[in-house]
Amino acid sequence: ALVFAIIAFGSRWAQTQRMPLVLDRSIPKGAPLGGIAYAFTLGMVPWSKESARLHWVTYLRGVAFHIGIFAGLAALIASPWFDAFPSLLRGLFALVTCFGATMGAIGGLSRVLEHNLAAISTPDDHTSVWLVVLFLLTTTAALVTSALLPVMWMMAAVMLFYAPIGKIRHCIFFYFGRLFYGMHVGRRGMARDLAAEVLFLDREASHGR
């Protein structure tokens, strides 16, 4: 499953790189590199995006879910040597993956219970979220007791097979999305203005305004 996921993700990455960029015929007003730097730094902070700035709870829930995913993937890589790790370290990882699974489950339930989310959610949305939640839960269980490692590996295999063909593949397109956005705002000379606005909002927030 891991080999399949690596090959499939690598193929998607190569296909996306070969796609031609939209030709921008306007006269450049700035440097694309400056925009790319902004897109991957200040452009990613929550107060630079209205959707995150106005919905902090949802934003933080998503952050916790993704931290749990990264911890779960790290645990999966290290899983053959679980017994060699200190109990405290395994306990900390179990806490992070369990919390991440909980936040993911809340997000999954929101897609069912919140009418706006339910209206736009597809079967792939539901499947992707719950596969990752189950992976994190089985990872938590395996961190607590190594006897459940086979269950974790089976769930990880299902998730890895589905990842390149379902919504989870956004982990690849995220980087291209930020890259294209950064090139656009840099070429249009907007990156400096956007960065100044982010810093202003940051100062306002730090003063409790």
Side-chain angles (χ1 to χ4, degrees):
L2 179 60
V3 171
F4 169 76
I6 291 174
I7 293 174
F9 276 128
S11 175
R12 286 192 177 277
W13 185 280
Q15 290 173 10
T16 306
Q17 281 189 314
R18 289 196 296 268
M19 294 177 68
L21 294 174
V22 176
L23 181 61
D24 189 345
R25 299 181 183 276
S26 63
I27 298 175
K29 297 180 180 179
L33 286 179
I36 294 172
Y38 165 79
F40 283 97
T41 53
L42 287 176
M44 294 180 63
V45 296
W47 47 89
S48 71
K49 298 180 289 186
E50 185 179 12
S51 59
R53 190 167 65 247
L54 300 180
H55 302 91
W56 276 94
V57 173
T58 302
Y59 172 80
L60 292 175
R61 185 182 69 208
V63 169
F65 185 33
H66 283 80
I67 290 175
I69 293 171
F70 291 132
L73 292 174
L76 176 62
I77 295 172
S79 59
W81 304 278
F82 269 0
D83 291 335
F85 285 91
S87 298
L88 179 60
L89 180 61
R90 289 176 59 174
L92 288 174
F93 264 82
L95 183 63
V96 174
T97 54
C98 184
F99 187 67
T102 303
M103 296 299 101
I106 293 174
L109 290 174
S110 297
R111 289 188 173 275
V112 177
L113 302 176
E114 207 282 314
H115 68 280
N116 289 319
L117 282 176
I120 63 173
S121 295
T122 66
D124 181 28
D125 291 323
H126 297 293
T127 302
S128 297
V129 169
W130 289 108
L131 276 179
V132 175
V133 169
L134 289 174
F135 164 67
L136 292 178
L137 288 175
T138 55
T139 300
T140 302
L143 284 163
V144 174
T145 172
S146 297
L148 294 176
L149 272 171
V151 179
M152 169 191 172
W153 288 332
M154 290 175 61
M155 192 64 241
V158 174
M159 183 190 70
L160 288 171
F161 271 121
Y162 189 80
I165 61 176
K167 184 182 178 180
I168 302 173
R169 67 183 183 273
H170 76 272
C171 62
I172 290 289
F173 299 130
F174 164 81
Y175 296 101
F176 286 103
R178 300 307 296 179
L179 176 66
F180 299 152
Y181 168 69
M183 292 174 63
H184 173 73
V185 298
R187 181 182 173 86
R188 292 301 179 92
M190 298 164 56
R192 182 176 299 177
D193 294 337
L194 289 169
E197 180 183 354
V198 170
L199 293 174
F200 171 76
L201 291 171
D202 186 23
R203 286 196 297 269
E204 292 289 289
S206 66
H207 286 84
R209 297 178 182 175

